[in-house]
């Protein structure tokens, strides 16, 4: 091995848990990681949510027509008994929230589907992870690891990491991106959700690499307890053979 050859960095992360091999050895990941959006996953997911959104919008339109044309004339008619009025009010209390929910869900799913299609058609990388920092091209986030105070795995089964930064940075978090919606994420100047889902790199590798690099730079990494084999997370500097 020549001393003049360029140095590379590798990250040691715990293996992904599997019942068939619960004591699998840790995984060594080479840096940088350049992850692109998975076209197939994003197109299929986009079609699924587009169909769901259009169906919800159709249901909302039908409910709205039932409220306007079905109950409108009865509401202005004379000679209605008190029981008819109570029944009408009861039906309105049920149908109107269903109308609002259907329209809201339909619009949200449709816009989320369009976001999936946009990701699928993205030409460049979606996420880049190096030994020095992270760049998320989807949100415009670009930070060195020294600026990350804490990294924790997202809840609710979402593949991603929430970063707490030492100071606010400029970025735009799409509120209608699927993982952002399901996480219930609320925008904060010093917090950002980095999605690891629907990429051409395994979500487990992306997630734990971010945790390892945050920890190696002095930040807090919540989720490292998932390292069941006790190998630890860290940055190992090596050279090409």
């Amino acid at each position: 091995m020549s001393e003049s050859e360029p140095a590379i960095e590798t990250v040691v992360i715990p293996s992904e848990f599997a019942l068939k091999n619960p004591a699998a050895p840790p995984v060594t990941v080479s840096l940088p990681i350049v992850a692109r959006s998975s076209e197939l996953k994003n197109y299929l997911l986009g079609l699924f949510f587009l169909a769901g959104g259009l169906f919800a919008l159709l249901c909302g339109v039908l409910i709205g027509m039932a409220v306007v044309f079905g109950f409108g004339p009865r509401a202005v008619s004379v000679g209605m008994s008190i029981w008819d009025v109570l029944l009408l009010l009861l039906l309105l209390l049920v149908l109107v929230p269903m109308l609002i929910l259907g329209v809201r869900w339909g619009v949200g799913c449709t816009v989320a589907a369009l976001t999936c299609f946009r990701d699928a058609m993205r030409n460049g990388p979606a996420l880049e992870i190096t030994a020095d920092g992270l760049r998320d091209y989807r949100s415009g986030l670009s930070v060195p690891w020294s600026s990350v105070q804490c990294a924790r795995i997202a809840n609710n089964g979402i593949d991603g990491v929430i970063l707490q930064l030492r100071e606010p940075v400029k970025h735009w978090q799409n509120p209608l991106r699927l993982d952002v919606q399901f996480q219930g994420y609320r925008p904060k100047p010093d917090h950002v959700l980095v999605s690891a889902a629907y990429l051409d790199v395994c979500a487990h590798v992306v997630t734990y690499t971010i945790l390892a690099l945050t920890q190696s730079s002095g930040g807090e990494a919540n989720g490292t307890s998932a390292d069941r084999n006790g190998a630890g997370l860290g940055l190992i500097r090596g050279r090409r053979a």
Side-chain angles (χ1 to χ4, degrees), residues 109-214:
C109 285
T110 302
V111 177
L114 296 178
T115 302
C116 289
F117 295 149
R118 180 185 178 186
D119 285 345
M121 293 184 289
R122 183 183 296 274
N123 292 324
L127 181 66
E128 186 174 353
I129 301 173
T130 69
D132 299 319
L134 173 146
R135 184 164 188 181
D136 190 342
Y137 294 91
R138 298 162 296 183
S139 64
L141 175 70
S142 180
V143 292
W145 297 117
S146 58
S147 297
V148 181
Q149 179 177 341
C150 177
R152 64 180 176 88
I153 297 177
N155 299 321
N156 302 330
I158 299 301
D159 291 324
V161 181
I162 295 179
L163 302 181
Q164 180 181 350
L165 308 176
R166 300 187 188 279
E167 57 184 18
V169 296
K170 243 176 125 176
H171 70 282
W172 182 72
Q173 197 85 61
N174 185 350
L176 293 175
R177 187 176 292 279
L178 292 178
D179 43 11
V180 177
Q181 288 190 68
F182 292 149
Q183 172 65 21
Y185 178 80
R186 295 293 180 267
K188 298 178 182 178
D190 58 345
H191 284 69
V192 63
L193 172 62
V194 179
S195 172
Y198 321 120
L199 301 173
D200 61 0
V201 177
C202 175
H204 174 85
V205 171
V206 172
T207 298
Y208 279 88
T209 299
I210 293 175
L211 294 178
L213 291 170
T214 298

Side-chain angles (χ1 to χ4, degrees), residues 5-145:
E5 289 177 337
I8 63 171
E9 290 81 17
T10 57
V11 174
V12 177
I13 65 172
S15 59
E16 192 168 8
F17 179 75
L19 292 177
K20 62 181 179 180
N21 190 11
V27 178
T28 301
V29 180
S30 297
L31 299 176
I33 295 176
V34 180
R36 297 176 178 270
S37 297
S38 171
E39 291 186 14
L40 179 61
K41 291 179 181 178
N42 279 283
Y43 275 127
L44 291 178
L45 196 66
L47 290 173
F48 175 78
F49 277 94
L50 180 61
L54 293 178
F55 177 76
L57 286 174
L58 177 61
C59 291
V61 170
L62 293 177
I63 293 174
M65 292 176 63
V67 171
V68 173
F69 298 106
F71 298 103
R74 294 189 61 183
V76 297
S77 64
V78 294
M80 292 180 62
S81 67
I82 185 63
W83 298 112
D84 290 334
V85 174
L86 291 176
L87 178 60
L88 178 61
L89 291 176
L90 180 61
L91 289 174
L92 288 176
L93 288 176
V94 173
L95 291 178
V96 171
M98 289 178 61
L99 169 63
I100 297 174
L101 182 62
V103 172
R104 181 178 178 181
W105 178 260
V107 172
C109 285
T110 302
V111 177
L114 296 178
T115 302
C116 289
F117 295 149
R118 180 185 178 186
D119 285 345
M121 293 184 289
R122 183 183 296 274
N123 292 324
L127 181 66
E128 186 174 353
I129 301 173
T130 69
D132 299 319
L134 173 146
R135 184 164 188 181
D136 190 342
Y137 294 91
R138 298 162 296 183
S139 64
L141 175 70
S142 180
V143 292
W145 297 117

